[in-house]
Amino acid sequence: MMRVFVTGTDTNVGKTETASALLSLLADRGMRPAPFKPYETGCEDLQAPKDAMALREAAQSEDPLEIICPHRFKPSLAPGVA
């Protein structure tokens, strides 16, 4: 099993876009990648967190958002605060 961890040092540096590209490539090759974003902040809609939904779509996954992104917050918070 391969595991890939995408990280960055700030907000809006391309972590979601990079992870989405990797997930899409894996899914297009017939693999079943499992996206995971443990925390998402700045969610306008807690039932439809934008980044988690983008990751799920890129992975062509049907996993529930509760598994992909279990912790969601409306305020924009640093990970340590969230």
Side-chain angles (χ1 to χ4, degrees):
M1 177 189 323
M2 174 178 62
R3 293 180 186 198
V4 177
F5 184 81
V6 176
T7 187
T9 58
D10 210 343
T11 57
N12 296 319
V13 295
K15 297 179 297 290
T16 299
E17 290 80 5
T18 300
S20 291
L22 291 169
L23 290 164
S24 181
L25 287 170
L26 293 170
D28 287 347
R29 293 204 166 141
M31 300 176 84
R32 297 184 57 200
F36 182 59
K37 181 177 179 74
Y39 294 89
E40 184 167 342
T41 67
C43 299
E44 292 178 19
D45 181 353
L46 294 175
Q47 301 307 310
K50 192 168 72 172
D51 288 352
M53 290 183 61
L55 295 172
R56 180 170 73 175
E57 182 179 337
Q60 300 173 26
S61 172
E62 295 181 9
D63 290 344
L65 287 171
E66 291 74 25
I67 291 174
I68 294 171
C69 185
H71 307 286
R72 306 170 214 161
F73 302 91
K74 284 193 179 236
S76 294
L77 303 168
V81 175

